[in-house]
Amino acid sequence: MWIDTHVHFDAPEFDATRANDWTRARDAGVSAQIVPAVSPDNFETVRAHSVQFSNTFYALGIHPMYVMGLPKKVSIELLRSAVVRSMNDDKFIAIGEIGLDGFVSDVDWDTQVWFLREQLNIAREFDLPVLLHVRRSVDKVSKYLREFNIQKGIAHAFNGSFEQAYAYIEMGLHLGFGGTLTFERARQIRRLASELPLSSLVIETDAPDIPPTWLNAGEHNYSHHLPRIAHTLAELRGLSHEVLAQSLWQNTLNALPRLAQVLPADI
Ligand SMILES: [Zn+2]
């Protein structure tokens, strides 16, 4: 019924319980999950999980918070060869998680930009959508999306102004919302999620991160919380579960064309 469009299912937090976690999410109504890589170190893991677990799809990319200390050219070559190997794999659906992080202070900005541009170049070359990390970097990332003429993908955990949101939507991108919208104090995100065109939204948990309001601080998030997060979104928009689920499903397939070749158009 729901697609968790961003979950770090390979994270060590899930090592002891992974099979159970996925069963629990499926039982709660999560039909599929998308797992982005963060570094060449986990390319093989996310791919292996996609083989092992049903309806688990993966992206390949290097996250801006993981770029420090990586050998630049070698890492991009590793990504490129992993992408070449995965192009015939119908579980492989995007380049990600890539982007810029303007919040962390210990990751060199020029290095982040170098990795982003190299990876957008690969996305362009293979005509793949992107899964984007845009924390405090919405405008900066959009500049590079334009440079490489990127027209498909998801800006995950979106948090920006309406103007910034529409700039992404007009480029053809979708915006990911998750547990943050369950907090009443998150006024701007709730306004965005309520008022932006429904066709531009997708939903995610970002588990084990971004716990929704009903978890205690420091508790891990899990994919099985996605339907309850969606329930909050349905309430905010005054929509039935069914209408919201069908729309978000379709939006996700629109954002990720390779997924649309594998999953049915109707839930
Ligand atoms: Zn992430």
Side-chain angles (χ1 to χ4, degrees), residues 190-257:
R190 286 166 78 101
R191 275 190 61 214
L192 290 165
S194 313
E195 296 172 28
L196 287 172
L198 182 56
S199 61
S200 64
L201 307 187
V202 298
I203 199 159
E204 63 176 51
T205 59
D206 200 25
D209 300 325
I210 315 193
T213 185
W214 52 86
L215 296 181
N216 296 318
E219 244 184 289
H220 298 145
N221 193 7
Y222 290 89
S223 248
H224 69 253
H225 293 296
L226 190 76
R228 196 166 160 197
I229 295 169
H231 181 77
T232 307
L233 180 57
E235 276 183 348
L236 284 170
R237 295 196 70 108
L239 293 172
S240 71
H241 259 217
E242 290 68 24
V243 168
L244 183 70
Q246 182 61 53
S247 303
L248 296 181
W249 183 279
Q250 186 58 55
N251 298 348
T252 307
L253 301 194
N254 291 344
L256 304 166

Coordinates of all heavy atoms in Angstrom, one line a residue, residues 190-257:
R190 N 4.9 21.1 7.9 CA 3.4 20.7 7.9 C 2.7 21.6 6.8 O 1.8 21.1 6.2 CB 2.8 20.8 9.3 CG 3.2 19.7 10.2 CD 2.9 20.0 11.6 NE 1.5 19.7 11.9 CZ 1.0 18.7 12.6 NH1 1.9 17.7 12.9 NH2 -0.2 18.6 12.9
R191 N 3.1 22.8 6.7 CA 2.4 23.7 5.7 C 2.8 23.2 4.3 O 2.0 23.1 3.4 CB 2.9 25.2 5.9 CG 2.0 25.9 6.9 CD 2.4 27.4 6.8 NE 2.1 28.0 5.5 CZ 2.8 28.9 4.9 NH1 3.9 29.4 5.5 NH2 2.5 29.4 3.7
L192 N 4.1 22.9 4.1 CA 4.5 22.4 2.8 C 3.8 21.1 2.5 O 3.2 21.0 1.4 CB 6.0 22.1 2.8 CG 7.0 23.3 2.9 CD1 8.4 22.8 3.3 CD2 7.0 24.0 1.6
A193 N 3.7 20.2 3.4 CA 3.1 18.9 3.2 C 1.6 19.0 2.9 O 1.0 18.3 2.2 CB 3.4 18.0 4.3
S194 N 1.0 20.1 3.5 CA -0.5 20.3 3.4 C -0.8 21.0 2.1 O -1.8 20.7 1.5 CB -1.0 21.2 4.5 OG -0.6 20.8 5.7
E195 N 0.1 21.9 1.6 CA -0.3 22.9 0.6 C 0.3 22.6 -0.8 O -0.2 23.1 -1.8 CB -0.1 24.3 1.1 CG -1.0 24.7 2.3 CD -0.6 26.0 2.9 OE1 -0.1 26.9 2.1 OE2 -0.8 26.2 4.1
L196 N 1.5 22.0 -0.8 CA 2.1 21.7 -2.1 C 1.2 20.8 -2.9 O 0.4 20.0 -2.4 CB 3.5 21.1 -1.9 CG 4.6 22.1 -1.3 CD1 5.9 21.3 -1.0 CD2 4.9 23.2 -2.3
P197 N 1.4 20.8 -4.2 CA 0.6 19.9 -5.1 C 0.8 18.5 -4.6 O 1.9 18.1 -4.4 CB 1.1 20.2 -6.5 CG 1.8 21.5 -6.4 CD 2.3 21.7 -5.0
L198 N -0.3 17.8 -4.5 CA -0.2 16.4 -4.0 C 0.7 15.6 -5.0 O 1.5 14.7 -4.5 CB -1.6 15.7 -4.0 CG -1.7 14.3 -3.5 CD1 -1.1 14.1 -2.1 CD2 -3.2 13.9 -3.6
S199 N 0.7 15.9 -6.2 CA 1.5 15.1 -7.2 C 3.0 15.3 -7.0 O 3.8 14.5 -7.6 CB 1.1 15.6 -8.6 OG 1.4 17.0 -8.8
S200 N 3.4 16.2 -6.2 CA 4.9 16.4 -6.0 C 5.4 15.7 -4.7 O 6.6 15.7 -4.5 CB 5.2 17.9 -5.8 OG 4.5 18.4 -4.7
L201 N 4.5 15.0 -4.0 CA 5.0 14.5 -2.7 C 5.2 13.0 -2.8 O 4.5 12.2 -3.5 CB 3.9 14.7 -1.6 CG 3.3 16.1 -1.4 CD1 2.4 16.0 -0.2 CD2 4.4 17.1 -1.2
V202 N 6.2 12.5 -2.0 CA 6.4 11.1 -1.7 C 6.7 11.0 -0.2 O 6.9 12.0 0.5 CB 7.5 10.4 -2.5 CG1 7.3 10.5 -4.0 CG2 8.9 11.1 -2.2
I203 N 6.6 9.8 0.4 CA 6.7 9.6 1.8 C 7.9 8.7 2.1 O 8.2 7.8 1.3 CB 5.4 9.2 2.4 CG1 5.3 9.5 3.9 CG2 5.1 7.7 2.1 CD1 3.9 9.5 4.4
E204 N 8.4 8.9 3.3 CA 9.7 8.1 3.7 C 9.7 8.1 5.2 O 9.1 8.9 5.9 CB 10.9 8.9 3.2 CG 11.0 10.3 3.8 CD 12.3 11.0 3.4 OE1 12.5 11.1 2.2 OE2 13.0 11.5 4.3
T205 N 10.6 7.1 5.7 CA 10.9 7.1 7.2 C 12.3 7.7 7.4 O 12.5 8.2 8.5 CB 10.8 5.7 7.8 OG1 11.7 4.9 7.2 CG2 9.4 5.2 7.8
D206 N 13.2 7.4 6.5 CA 14.6 7.7 6.8 C 15.1 6.9 8.0 O 16.1 7.2 8.6 CB 14.9 9.2 7.0 CG 16.4 9.5 6.8 OD1 17.1 8.8 6.1 OD2 16.9 10.5 7.4
A207 N 14.4 5.8 8.3 CA 14.9 4.9 9.4 C 16.3 4.4 9.2 O 16.7 4.2 8.1 CB 13.9 3.7 9.5
P208 N 17.1 4.3 10.3 CA 16.7 4.5 11.7 C 16.7 5.9 12.2 O 16.5 6.1 13.4 CB 17.8 3.7 12.4 CG 19.1 3.9 11.5 CD 18.5 4.0 10.1
D209 N 16.8 6.9 11.3 CA 16.8 8.3 11.8 C 15.4 8.9 11.7 O 14.4 8.3 11.3 CB 17.7 9.1 10.9 CG 19.2 8.6 10.9 OD1 19.6 8.1 12.0 OD2 19.8 8.6 9.9
I210 N 15.3 10.2 12.1 CA 14.1 11.0 12.0 C 12.9 10.3 12.7 O 11.8 10.0 12.1 CB 13.7 11.5 10.6 CG1 15.0 12.0 9.9 CG2 12.6 12.6 10.7 CD1 14.7 12.8 8.6
P211 N 13.0 10.0 14.0 CA 11.8 9.3 14.7 C 10.6 10.2 14.7 O 10.7 11.4 15.0 CB 12.4 9.0 16.1 CG 13.6 9.9 16.2 CD 14.1 10.1 14.9
P212 N 9.4 9.6 14.4 CA 8.2 10.4 14.6 C 7.9 10.7 16.0 O 8.5 10.2 16.9 CB 7.1 9.5 14.0 CG 7.7 8.1 14.0 CD 9.2 8.3 14.0
T213 N 6.9 11.6 16.2 CA 6.7 12.2 17.6 C 6.3 11.1 18.6 O 6.6 11.4 19.8 CB 5.6 13.3 17.5 OG1 5.4 13.9 18.7 CG2 4.2 12.7 17.0
W214 N 5.8 10.0 18.2 CA 5.4 9.0 19.3 C 6.5 8.1 19.7 O 6.3 7.3 20.6 CB 4.2 8.1 18.7 CG 4.5 7.5 17.4 CD1 5.1 6.3 17.2 CD2 4.1 8.0 16.1 NE1 5.2 6.1 15.8 CE2 4.6 7.1 15.1 CE3 3.4 9.1 15.7 CZ2 4.4 7.2 13.8 CZ3 3.2 9.3 14.3 CH2 3.7 8.4 13.4
L215 N 7.7 8.3 19.2 CA 8.9 7.6 19.7 C 9.6 8.5 20.7 O 9.6 9.7 20.6 CB 9.8 7.2 18.6 CG 9.3 6.2 17.6 CD1 10.3 5.8 16.5 CD2 8.8 4.9 18.3
N216 N 10.3 7.9 21.6 CA 11.1 8.7 22.6 C 12.4 9.1 21.9 O 12.9 8.5 20.9 CB 11.5 7.8 23.8 CG 10.3 7.4 24.6 OD1 9.4 8.2 24.8 ND2 10.3 6.1 25.0
A217 N 12.9 10.3 22.3 CA 14.2 10.8 21.8 C 15.2 9.7 21.9 O 15.4 9.0 22.9 CB 14.6 12.0 22.5
G218 N 15.9 9.5 20.8 CA 17.0 8.5 20.8 C 16.6 7.1 20.4 O 17.4 6.2 20.1
E219 N 15.2 6.9 20.3 CA 14.7 5.6 19.9 C 14.9 5.5 18.4 O 14.8 6.5 17.6 CB 13.2 5.4 20.2 CG 12.9 4.3 21.2 CD 11.4 4.2 21.3 OE1 10.8 5.1 21.9 OE2 10.8 3.2 20.8
H220 N 15.2 4.3 17.9 CA 15.4 4.1 16.4 C 14.0 4.1 15.7 O 13.0 3.6 16.2 CB 16.0 2.7 16.1 CG 17.4 2.6 16.7 ND1 17.9 1.5 17.2 CD2 18.4 3.6 16.8 CE1 19.1 1.7 17.6 NE2 19.4 2.9 17.4
N221 N 14.0 4.7 14.6 CA 12.9 4.7 13.7 C 12.9 3.4 12.9 O 13.9 2.8 12.6 CB 12.9 5.9 12.8 CG 11.6 6.2 12.1 OD1 10.6 5.5 12.3 ND2 11.7 7.2 11.2
Y222 N 11.7 2.9 12.5 CA 11.6 1.7 11.6 C 10.5 2.0 10.5 O 9.6 2.8 10.7 CB 11.1 0.5 12.5 CG 12.1 0.0 13.5 CD1 12.1 0.6 14.8 CD2 13.0 -1.0 13.1 CE1 13.1 0.1 15.7 CE2 13.9 -1.4 14.0 CZ 14.0 -0.9 15.3 OH 14.9 -1.4 16.2
S223 N 10.7 1.2 9.5 CA 9.7 1.4 8.3 C 8.3 1.1 8.7 O 7.4 1.7 8.1 CB 10.1 0.4 7.2 OG 10.6 1.0 6.1
H224 N 8.0 0.3 9.7 CA 6.6 0.0 10.1 C 5.9 1.2 10.6 O 4.7 1.2 10.8 CB 6.5 -1.2 11.0 CG 7.0 -1.0 12.4 ND1 8.2 -1.5 12.9 CD2 6.5 -0.3 13.4 CE1 8.4 -1.2 14.1 NE2 7.4 -0.4 14.5
H225 N 6.6 2.3 10.9 CA 6.0 3.6 11.3 C 5.4 4.4 10.1 O 4.7 5.3 10.3 CB 6.9 4.4 12.1 CG 7.3 3.9 13.5 ND1 6.4 3.7 14.5 CD2 8.5 3.4 13.9 CE1 7.0 3.1 15.5 NE2 8.3 3.0 15.2
L226 N 5.8 4.0 8.9 CA 5.4 4.7 7.7 C 3.9 4.9 7.6 O 3.4 6.1 7.4 CB 6.0 4.1 6.5 CG 5.8 5.0 5.2 CD1 6.8 6.1 5.2 CD2 6.0 4.2 3.9
P227 N 3.1 3.9 7.8 CA 1.6 4.1 7.6 C 1.1 5.1 8.6 O 0.2 5.9 8.3 CB 1.0 2.7 7.8 CG 2.2 1.8 7.4 CD 3.4 2.4 7.9
R228 N 1.6 5.1 9.8 CA 1.1 6.1 10.8 C 1.6 7.5 10.4 O 0.8 8.5 10.6 CB 1.6 5.7 12.2 CG 0.8 6.4 13.3 CD 1.1 5.8 14.6 NE 0.7 6.7 15.7 CZ 1.1 6.6 16.9 NH1 1.8 5.5 17.3 NH2 0.7 7.5 17.8
I229 N 2.8 7.7 9.8 CA 3.2 9.0 9.3 C 2.3 9.4 8.2 O 1.9 10.6 8.1 CB 4.7 8.9 8.9 CG1 5.6 8.6 10.1 CG2 5.1 10.2 8.2 CD1 7.1 8.2 9.7
A230 N 2.0 8.4 7.3 CA 1.1 8.7 6.2 C -0.3 9.2 6.7 O -1.0 10.0 6.1 CB 0.9 7.5 5.3
H231 N -0.7 8.5 7.8 CA -2.0 8.9 8.4 C -2.0 10.4 8.8 O -3.0 11.1 8.6 CB -2.3 8.0 9.6 CG -3.6 8.3 10.3 ND1 -4.8 7.8 9.8 CD2 -3.8 9.0 11.5 CE1 -5.7 8.2 10.7 NE2 -5.2 8.9 11.6
T232 N -0.9 10.8 9.4 CA -0.8 12.3 9.7 C -0.9 13.1 8.5 O -1.6 14.2 8.5 CB 0.5 12.6 10.4 OG1 0.7 11.7 11.5 CG2 0.6 14.0 10.9
L233 N -0.2 12.7 7.4 CA -0.3 13.5 6.2 C -1.7 13.5 5.6 O -2.2 14.5 5.1 CB 0.7 12.9 5.2 CG 0.8 13.5 3.8 CD1 1.1 15.0 3.9 CD2 1.8 12.8 2.9
A234 N -2.4 12.3 5.7 CA -3.8 12.3 5.2 C -4.7 13.3 5.9 O -5.5 14.0 5.4 CB -4.3 10.8 5.3
E235 N -4.5 13.3 7.3 CA -5.3 14.2 8.1 C -5.0 15.7 7.7 O -5.9 16.5 7.6 CB -4.9 14.0 9.6 CG -5.8 12.9 10.2 CD -5.5 12.8 11.7 OE1 -4.5 13.4 12.2 OE2 -6.2 12.1 12.3
L236 N -3.7 16.0 7.6 CA -3.3 17.4 7.2 C -3.9 17.8 5.9 O -4.3 19.0 5.7 CB -1.7 17.5 7.1 CG -0.9 17.5 8.4 CD1 0.6 17.3 8.1 CD2 -1.2 18.8 9.2
R237 N -4.0 16.9 5.0 CA -4.5 17.2 3.6 C -6.0 17.0 3.5 O -6.6 17.3 2.4 CB -3.8 16.5 2.6 CG -2.3 16.8 2.5 CD -1.6 16.4 1.2 NE -2.1 17.1 0.1 CZ -1.4 18.0 -0.6 NH1 -0.2 18.3 -0.3 NH2 -2.0 18.7 -1.7
G238 N -6.6 16.4 4.6 CA -8.1 16.1 4.5 C -8.4 15.1 3.4 O -9.4 15.2 2.7
L239 N -7.5 14.1 3.3 CA -7.7 13.0 2.3 C -7.9 11.7 3.0 O -7.5 11.5 4.1 CB -6.5 12.9 1.4 CG -6.1 14.0 0.5 CD1 -4.8 13.8 -0.1 CD2 -7.2 14.2 -0.6
S240 N -8.6 10.8 2.3 CA -8.7 9.4 2.8 C -7.4 8.7 2.6 O -6.6 9.1 1.8 CB -9.8 8.6 2.1 OG -9.4 8.4 0.8
H241 N -7.1 7.7 3.5 CA -6.0 6.9 3.3 C -5.8 6.3 1.9 O -4.7 6.3 1.4 CB -6.1 5.6 4.2 CG -5.4 5.7 5.5 ND1 -4.8 4.7 6.1 CD2 -5.2 6.8 6.3 CE1 -4.2 5.1 7.2 NE2 -4.4 6.3 7.3
E242 N -6.9 5.9 1.3 CA -6.9 5.2 0.0 C -6.4 6.2 -1.0 O -5.6 5.8 -1.9 CB -8.3 4.6 -0.3 CG -8.7 3.4 0.6 CD -9.0 3.8 2.0 OE1 -9.3 5.0 2.3 OE2 -8.8 2.9 2.9
V243 N -7.0 7.4 -1.0 CA -6.7 8.4 -2.0 C -5.2 8.8 -1.9 O -4.4 8.9 -2.8 CB -7.6 9.6 -2.0 CG1 -7.1 10.8 -2.8 CG2 -9.0 9.2 -2.4
L244 N -4.8 9.0 -0.6 CA -3.4 9.4 -0.4 C -2.4 8.3 -0.8 O -1.4 8.5 -1.5 CB -3.2 9.7 1.1 CG -1.7 10.2 1.3 CD1 -1.5 11.6 0.7 CD2 -1.4 10.3 2.8
A245 N -2.8 7.1 -0.5 CA -1.9 5.9 -0.8 C -1.8 5.8 -2.3 O -0.6 5.6 -2.8 CB -2.4 4.6 -0.2
Q246 N -2.9 5.9 -3.0 CA -2.8 5.7 -4.5 C -2.0 6.8 -5.1 O -1.2 6.6 -6.0 CB -4.2 5.7 -5.1 CG -4.3 5.5 -6.6 CD -3.6 4.1 -7.0 OE1 -4.0 3.1 -6.5 NE2 -2.6 4.2 -7.9
S247 N -2.2 8.1 -4.6 CA -1.4 9.2 -5.2 C 0.1 9.1 -4.9 O 0.9 9.3 -5.8 CB -1.9 10.5 -4.6 OG -3.3 10.7 -4.8
L248 N 0.4 8.8 -3.7 CA 1.8 8.7 -3.3 C 2.5 7.5 -4.1 O 3.7 7.6 -4.5 CB 2.0 8.5 -1.8 CG 1.6 9.7 -1.0 CD1 1.9 9.4 0.5 CD2 2.2 11.0 -1.4
W249 N 1.8 6.5 -4.3 CA 2.3 5.3 -5.0 C 2.6 5.8 -6.5 O 3.7 5.5 -7.0 CB 1.2 4.2 -5.0 CG 1.7 2.9 -5.7 CD1 1.7 2.7 -7.1 CD2 2.1 1.7 -5.1 NE1 2.1 1.4 -7.3 CE2 2.4 0.8 -6.1 CE3 2.4 1.4 -3.7 CZ2 2.9 -0.5 -5.8 CZ3 2.8 0.1 -3.5 CH2 3.1 -0.8 -4.5
Q250 N 1.6 6.4 -7.1 CA 1.8 6.9 -8.5 C 3.0 7.9 -8.5 O 3.8 7.9 -9.5 CB 0.5 7.5 -9.0 CG 0.6 7.9 -10.5 CD 1.0 6.7 -11.3 OE1 0.3 5.6 -11.3 NE2 2.0 6.8 -12.1
N251 N 3.0 8.8 -7.6 CA 4.1 9.8 -7.6 C 5.5 9.1 -7.5 O 6.4 9.6 -8.2 CB 4.0 10.7 -6.3 CG 2.7 11.5 -6.4 OD1 2.0 11.6 -7.4 ND2 2.4 12.2 -5.2
T252 N 5.6 8.1 -6.7 CA 6.9 7.4 -6.5 C 7.3 6.8 -7.8 O 8.4 6.8 -8.2 CB 6.8 6.4 -5.4 OG1 6.3 7.0 -4.2 CG2 8.1 5.8 -5.1
L253 N 6.3 6.2 -8.5 CA 6.6 5.6 -9.8 C 7.0 6.6 -10.8 O 7.9 6.4 -11.7 CB 5.5 4.7 -10.3 CG 5.0 3.6 -9.5 CD1 4.0 2.7 -10.3 CD2 6.1 2.8 -8.9
N254 N 6.4 7.8 -10.8 CA 6.7 8.9 -11.7 C 8.2 9.4 -11.4 O 8.9 9.8 -12.3 CB 5.8 10.1 -11.5 CG 4.4 9.7 -12.0 OD1 4.2 8.8 -12.8 ND2 3.4 10.5 -11.7
A255 N 8.5 9.4 -10.1 CA 9.9 9.9 -9.7 C 11.0 8.9 -10.1 O 12.1 9.3 -10.4 CB 9.9 10.2 -8.2
L256 N 10.6 7.6 -10.2 CA 11.6 6.6 -10.3 C 11.2 5.6 -11.4 O 10.6 4.6 -11.2 CB 11.8 5.8 -9.0 CG 12.1 6.7 -7.8 CD1 11.9 5.9 -6.5 CD2 13.6 7.2 -7.9
P257 N 11.5 6.0 -12.7 CA 11.0 5.2 -13.8 C 11.3 3.7 -13.8 O 10.5 2.9 -14.3 CB 11.6 5.9 -15.0 CG 11.9 7.3 -14.6 CD 12.2 7.2 -13.1

